[in-house]
Amino acid sequence: MSQRQARTLAGKVVAITGGGRGIGAATAAALRSRGARVAIGDIDDVVGKETAARLGLEWYGHVDVTDEESFGEFVRQVEAEVGPLDVLINNAGIMPVGPLMDEDARTARRVIDINVLGVITGTKLAIGSMAARRSGHIINLASMAGVAAVPGLATYNASKFAVVGFTDAVRLEVRPMGIDVTSVLPYFVNTELAEGTTGPRGFNKAEPEEVAAAIVDALEHPVPRVYVPRGTGRLVRLFRKFPQALTERLNTAMGGDRIFLDDVDHRARAAYERRARDVEDDGERSS
């Protein structure tokens, strides 16, 4: 935890996409405990409403992040029901796994539409709200798969590399406006998104609450990029300094070349995969 004076979150209006489950719900709970006024959006109305009621949140709304009109209406309703937007957390995302040649075109489009274009749309909407007040913070959920290639996640990798690059560029663009932008890069997280998968040997899954705590810390002590867990993030950054051939051999030695290809429990992932084909899910975050 940083020793700098923390920004207060009490009374801040926070909107979270994919807030019904996983990291989104854990983050809503963590921010609510800090006194923030939290609104969640989710495409799954039943789960979203249940989560909002369980956590005592200020407001819940339907949002399809692939639909600009739906996303815009969600932001407008948050501001009408709760107040001017101080924080937007672009959390919704999906992660199909398996060989690229087994991935159909519709699945590839959904990954890009949700994981990339949804983040771009939300960021634009948030800037439009925050710029006039010259304050605000946008959190974009990326992944360590946004800086490290993983066999079996090719399109997901592409989407998360895009989110990292987009977030870095936007941060520089809007910094003069008084708006902070942070990318959060979790490793494997114990949510439905990672169901049926295991990490490389020697690495354990993180819990959604760990990612939520990192998001809270990033809001209280703004930084450009956050890795969760921090120790795993340091290893990933260290590996990136090695020659590529060496990092690939290390990845193979740890079993990382098989975890999303040969070592997947597809029965355990069946319910998630069905929903991800038709409905935007969770808010991840894994590898």
Side-chain angles (χ1 to χ4, degrees), residues 147 227 230 232-242:
V147 293
Y227 293 83
R230 290 180 180 176
T232 305
R234 283 193 291 269
L235 283 176
V236 168
R237 283 175 285 174
L238 176 63
F239 284 2
R240 293 185 70 202
K241 296 179 181 180
F242 296 164

Side-chain angles (χ1 to χ4, degrees), residues 63-64 67-77 121 125:
V63 62
D64 177 354
D67 184 328
E68 185 174 356
E69 183 175 341
S70 173
F71 210 148
E73 181 60 22
F74 169 67
V75 172
R76 286 190 291 272
Q77 289 185 334
T121 298
L125 289 167

Side-chain angles (χ1 to χ4, degrees), residues 27 50 57 61 79 87 170 172 183 204 236 240 245 265 267 276:
T27 302
E50 289 175 351
L57 305 181
E79 298 204 310
V87 177
V170 171
L172 298 175
S183 57
N204 296 321
V236 168
R240 293 185 70 202
D265 184 344
R267 286 185 295 180

Side-chain angles (χ1 to χ4, degrees), residues 65-66 92-94 109-119 280:
V65 301
T66 70
I94 61 171
R109 283 193 295 269
R110 283 189 62 75
V111 171
I112 300 304
D113 284 349
I114 294 170
N115 294 5
V116 181
L117 296 178
V119 169
E280 113 198 4

